Amino acid sequence: PISYTGASYSHTLKRYGCTSPVDWVQDAKTTIPSALNIGSNGQVIGNVEADPGVYKVILKSSGTSCDPVSTTYYLPVKNLLPAAEAKVTDPGLWYEYRTPHFDTDPGLDSFESSASGTTPTFSFSVAEDEKYAIRFSGYLDVPVDGGYSFQVGTENQSRLYIDDQLVVDHWMRDNRARIVWDDFDSELGLKSGKHKIVLTVNNGNYERYNLYGEYPSMRNLFEVRWKIPGTTSHVPIPQSALFNPGSFSALRPVKPTH
């Protein structure tokens, strides 16, 4: 897993092919980033205090049922994305709606809408036709520093951006509802505070209420999930974490990280 400067990190190393417990020790030739520790059971844990980069760590493992072996462990370290200087207090999201749908992904900036307004959360309820596109935009209130994982579950084509970075890409060519949550999962390191969030949803290659019978569980599914630091599973992003900027153009530009 990716580690982030100034954030806690936890990862368990595994040695395959050994039936007995394995002891891990750090090779004398390499050092790990400051404040990280490697336990004899392979647990890498601590608060990362290191410059961005990829750290090469050589570890040795041994056990009663396996020969000692050296393992090269690459630890990527990235900066957390800073929060926006936005003082928004209105709950919900701004949406823009258009019909017909897009034949190709419009990207972040090209979206000619026929209607717009506010909505409490990501929802199909603003759709007025069977062939349409919706862009949701707003701020996501991040509670603590650390790595966040995002998932999008929808019967339609979709792309999720956090701070202008594409984190979930579900713009499948044939627009089918063949979705496995883990296949559309991406992690991003975020500082606590408000972060720009944009989701584009495109429905066009079939009627929304006539989905493929082999995927009945996808009917009308539309959910954006996150996994926050210190938790083990993804949950729907709560409405309390979404804030409405009043328009897409009102979203503040994202500051560069360098």
Side-chain angles (χ1 to χ4, degrees):
I2 298 171
S3 58
Y4 299 97
T5 296
S8 60
Y9 178 82
S10 179
H11 179 59
T12 303
L13 301 170
K14 294 183 179 180
R15 170 87 188 271
Y16 296 98
C18 290
T19 57
S20 65
V22 172
D23 291 327
W24 293 87
V25 294
Q26 184 178 335
D27 191 283
K29 300 176 183 178
T30 61
T31 58
I32 62 175
S34 174
L36 282 182
N37 296 296
I38 301 176
S40 61
N41 63 348
Q43 184 76 15
V44 184
I45 193 168
N47 205 69
V48 180
E49 300 296 343
D51 293 328
V54 178
Y55 291 80
K56 179 180 178 181
V57 181
I58 299 177
L59 305 170
K60 292 180 179 179
S61 60
S62 63
T64 57
S65 66
C66 54
D67 297 328
V69 65
S70 291
T71 299
T72 301
Y73 177 55
Y74 291 94
L75 179 67
V77 177
K78 295 184 177 182
N79 281 328
L80 296 168
L81 294 178
E85 296 177 357
K87 296 181 180 179
V88 289
T89 57
D90 292 338
L93 295 166
W94 181 257
Y95 78 85
E96 297 157 280
Y97 170 85
R98 61 163 281 158
T99 185
H101 63 288
F102 290 105
D103 292 325
T104 58
D105 179 17
L108 267 175
D109 299 320
S110 178
F111 197 102
E112 297 180 0
S113 62
S114 57
S116 61
T118 62
T119 178
T121 189
F122 306 100
S123 172
F124 282 139
S125 63
V126 299
E128 302 171 1
D129 200 282
E130 291 297 338
K131 294 185 177 182
Y132 61 86
I134 310 171
R135 180 170 66 181
F136 300 91
S137 56
Y139 288 103
L140 176 67
D141 194 15
V142 169
V144 296
D145 294 358
Y148 287 75
S149 175
F150 295 89
Q151 297 177 336
V152 176
T154 172
E155 61 195 35
N156 303 316
Q157 294 169 316
S158 61
R159 276 186 171 156
L160 176 68
Y161 298 84
I162 304 291
D163 289 342
D164 293 345
Q165 296 196 28
L166 179 62
V167 293
V168 178
D169 188 356
H170 180 215
W171 207 269
M172 295 191 297
R173 183 177 179 182
D174 61 0
N175 198 22
R176 292 188 180 180
R178 298 177 178 233
I179 298 175
V180 178
W181 282 106
D182 291 345
D183 290 344
F184 303 98
D185 185 342
S186 183
E187 182 177 313
L188 202 61
L190 303 173
K191 295 283 289 183
S192 63
K194 292 183 172 63
H195 291 261
K196 182 178 177 181
I197 183 169
V198 177
L199 175 67
T200 301
V201 180
N202 193 52
N203 180 65
N205 294 344
Y206 54 80
E207 292 185 358
R208 205 173 107 212
Y209 297 104
N210 292 317
L211 297 182
Y212 302 93
E214 58 187 316
Y215 296 100
S217 64
M218 301 309 300
R219 188 178 301 276
N220 296 327
L221 173 64
F222 189 15
E223 201 168 72
V224 183
R225 298 177 178 179
W226 66 353
K227 182 172 67 175
I228 65 176
T231 64
T232 58
S233 60
H234 291 81
V235 296
I237 294 177
Q239 294 184 20
S240 59
L242 301 172
F243 289 86
N244 185 1
S247 69
F248 179 78
S249 61
L251 289 169
R252 300 183 68 87
V254 175
K255 289 184 177 181
T257 56
H258 300 290

